[in-house]
Amino acid sequence: EVLRLEKVSVDDDFFELGGSSLLAVRLFQQIETHFDLNLPLSALLQAPTIAQFANILHHQGDSVVWSSLVPINAKGTKPPLFCIHGGGFNVLIYHDLAKHLGPDYPVYGLQAQGLDGETVFHSSYYEMAKDYIEHLQKVQPHGPYFLSGVSSGGIIALEMAQQLHAQGHEIALVAMFDTSGPDNEGRVLAPIPRFLSVLKYIYTYTLPRFINKRMQHGPKALAIDVVKEIQRLIKPKEAKQQANESASLPFEDDISQSIGTPSQKMNKLESWVHNFHLWVLKRSQLAYAAPEVEVLGRGGSFADVAEELKANHYKAWIDYECKPYPGKIVIFKAHEQLPGIYRDSDMGWGSIAQGGVEIHNVPGYHADLVRSPDLAQGMKACIDRLDETNIS
């Protein structure tokens, strides 16, 4: 039902059948409903087939050992890569990265404490980093360490590097996947440049996606949807009431925070551009397909835990102060960035990374980045280069 396949063998791998973190969320929602079991999504990494997962269900989840450290690929001769969770707190999103890297590259995920609904949440990035270091050192007691993280996970990876460096360990790599730094908090452009930036984004990304999706249902459906979208733009309040848009936009608050709220000091042009900008952002990939927060859409008891985690991590993010880091930071930046917002070329890390910032552009958008073979190719090149340097 989740994968929408007519026939599935008990030995077929969930991921090889097209399973993703979003589909896993739906699967675990049904498991919780039918079996009253609140299992971590990482259980699929231990048991990706029906036969293996049935064994977990048979033992009422006892065979699933909860830990922040999750082996995604525990084999290989290369140095292990540690991937820290983003805003969705689970590490299932790194499955594709491990797959594309290949069997010779060990990959471990670090998922959020408290995700099981029983362990205590960390109150700060400092505490998270300290705890995650204790977990990873069970696998690798000494450096050089290879650390990475998507979005906010990149900042936690940096704090881990800071603490490990203070302990005298060598850090080979701090890789951030589309993580904004303290100097890159979105500064909204002036009205005219902002409007032109949004128009360019529509032409390059929004319009092609809109047409491709609607054309699957024929030209008539496309024309109807175009008229509806125009009505929403001209009369947003009435359209929102009629279509109940807010119910289909679970990340509307996050999007609004990226550009702020309308000010009473705005003139009519500024106010219209602001609302137009927000209208486009709500139809961007950020609004509908962010894998690091997909887990927040899961129902049941887990939803309450996830909301608490979200609030807890948001406070930790607000309170955290990035300090200068003596090494280099490697950024893998999604090519598709949100429009109308000024961003530094170094993603805001220039004043932090004393060893410099290395930027790699990856095709696609933020939510798709960790699934990209291009990301894996870039990471493989970095790991190989740095591993050879350490050997020599």
Side-chain angles (χ1 to χ4, degrees), residues 171-208:
I171 312 300
L173 174 67
V174 175
M176 298 182 174
F177 306 146
D178 219 36
T179 301
S180 291
D183 296 335
N184 199 44
E185 297 304 321
R187 299 190 291 274
V188 178
L189 298 173
I192 299 304
R194 184 180 182 183
F195 177 69
L196 294 175
S197 173
V198 172
L199 284 183
K200 182 180 179 181
Y201 183 86
I202 292 174
Y203 177 78
T204 307
Y205 300 111
T206 307
L207 189 59

Side-chain angles (χ1 to χ4, degrees), residues 71-135:
I72 301 175
N73 173 32
K75 300 178 181 179
T77 62
K78 295 291 184 178
L81 174 67
F82 296 95
C83 302
I84 291 80
H85 64 85
F89 319 123
N90 80 91
V91 294
L92 203 65
I93 56 172
Y94 293 117
H95 173 271
D96 286 342
L97 174 60
K99 176 184 176 182
H100 293 315
L101 281 173
D104 203 32
Y105 293 78
V107 176
Y108 291 84
L110 284 155
Q111 61 187 347
Q113 189 90 348
L115 196 59
D116 59 347
E118 297 180 4
T119 50
V120 180
F121 302 157
H122 291 120
S123 61
S124 69
Y125 278 6
Y126 178 84
E127 288 183 3
M128 290 178 210
K130 185 175 182 293
D131 183 52
Y132 297 165
I133 287 172
E134 292 177 3
H135 280 84

Side-chain angles (χ1 to χ4, degrees), residues 327-331 345-353 355-359:
K328 176 189 287 188
I329 295 177
V330 179
I331 306 288
S345 58
D346 58 14
M347 294 285 286
W349 292 107
S351 63
I352 301 297
V357 177
E358 182 180 318
I359 297 286

Side-chain angles (χ1 to χ4, degrees), residues 269-347:
L269 174 62
E270 292 172 331
S271 179
W272 186 88
V273 170
H274 181 93
N275 290 327
F276 177 61
H277 188 189
L278 185 59
W279 179 83
V280 172
L281 291 182
K282 288 178 182 179
R283 285 149 185 82
S284 70
Q285 291 293 349
L286 173 64
Y288 298 101
E292 73 273 18
V293 292
E294 280 168 357
V295 74
L296 297 180
R298 177 178 165 189
S301 62
F302 184 86
D304 297 331
V305 174
E307 285 301 324
E308 287 186 65
L309 266 172
K310 183 179 180 182
N312 186 77
H313 276 246
Y314 180 73
K315 184 180 184 303
W317 174 71
I318 291 294
D319 293 342
Y320 183 70
E321 181 180 353
C322 288
K323 298 178 181 178
Y325 172 64
K328 176 189 287 188
I329 295 177
V330 179
I331 306 288
F332 288 87
K333 177 183 177 183
H335 185 268
E336 178 181 342
Q337 294 289 318
L338 294 179
I341 301 172
Y342 173 80
R343 299 191 184 279
D344 297 320
S345 58
D346 58 14
M347 294 285 286

Side-chain angles (χ1 to χ4, degrees), residues 45-281:
L45 297 170
Q46 292 179 235
T49 70
I50 294 176
Q52 293 168 334
F53 207 87
N55 185 55
I56 291 177
L57 296 178
H58 177 70
H59 291 90
Q60 297 294 301
D62 292 339
S63 58
V64 177
V65 179
W66 171 260
S67 172
S68 285
L69 184 70
V70 179
I72 301 175
N73 173 32
K75 300 178 181 179
T77 62
K78 295 291 184 178
L81 174 67
F82 296 95
C83 302
I84 291 80
H85 64 85
F89 319 123
N90 80 91
V91 294
L92 203 65
I93 56 172
Y94 293 117
H95 173 271
D96 286 342
L97 174 60
K99 176 184 176 182
H100 293 315
L101 281 173
D104 203 32
Y105 293 78
V107 176
Y108 291 84
L110 284 155
Q111 61 187 347
Q113 189 90 348
L115 196 59
D116 59 347
E118 297 180 4
T119 50
V120 180
F121 302 157
H122 291 120
S123 61
S124 69
Y125 278 6
Y126 178 84
E127 288 183 3
M128 290 178 210
K130 185 175 182 293
D131 183 52
Y132 297 165
I133 287 172
E134 292 177 3
H135 280 84
L136 72 84
Q137 287 186 327
K138 294 176 182 178
V139 174
Q140 185 184 356
H142 305 286
Y145 290 106
F146 291 73
L147 308 173
S148 66
V150 62
S151 196
S152 59
I155 302 176
I156 301 171
L158 176 63
E159 175 56 31
M160 291 172 67
Q162 298 274 33
Q163 293 186 26
L164 285 166
H165 181 267
Q167 295 172 12
H169 293 286
E170 182 181 353
I171 312 300
L173 174 67
V174 175
M176 298 182 174
F177 306 146
D178 219 36
T179 301
S180 291
D183 296 335
N184 199 44
E185 297 304 321
R187 299 190 291 274
V188 178
L189 298 173
I192 299 304
R194 184 180 182 183
F195 177 69
L196 294 175
S197 173
V198 172
L199 284 183
K200 182 180 179 181
Y201 183 86
I202 292 174
Y203 177 78
T204 307
Y205 300 111
T206 307
L207 189 59
R209 276 197 289 257
F210 178 84
I211 293 175
N212 289 336
K213 185 175 181 179
R214 266 57 178 191
M215 280 300 290
Q216 296 175 7
H217 304 287
K220 183 177 179 180
L222 172 62
I224 293 173
D225 285 337
V226 168
V227 171
K228 288 181 179 178
E229 290 298 329
I230 292 174
Q231 289 175 339
R232 288 184 182 129
L233 180 58
I234 296 175
K235 298 180 179 180
K237 292 183 179 179
E238 291 84 346
K240 186 171 183 177
Q241 292 174 355
Q242 294 173 4
N244 194 20
E245 279 188 347
S246 59
S248 63
L249 295 169
F251 312 121
E252 183 170 342
D253 290 340
D254 296 334
I255 295 170
S256 299
Q257 287 174 7
S258 67
I259 63 171
T261 55
S263 169
Q264 293 181 347
K265 296 180 180 179
M266 287 183 177
N267 58 39
K268 289 185 178 180
L269 174 62
E270 292 172 331
S271 179
W272 186 88
V273 170
H274 181 93
N275 290 327
F276 177 61
H277 188 189
L278 185 59
W279 179 83
V280 172
L281 291 182

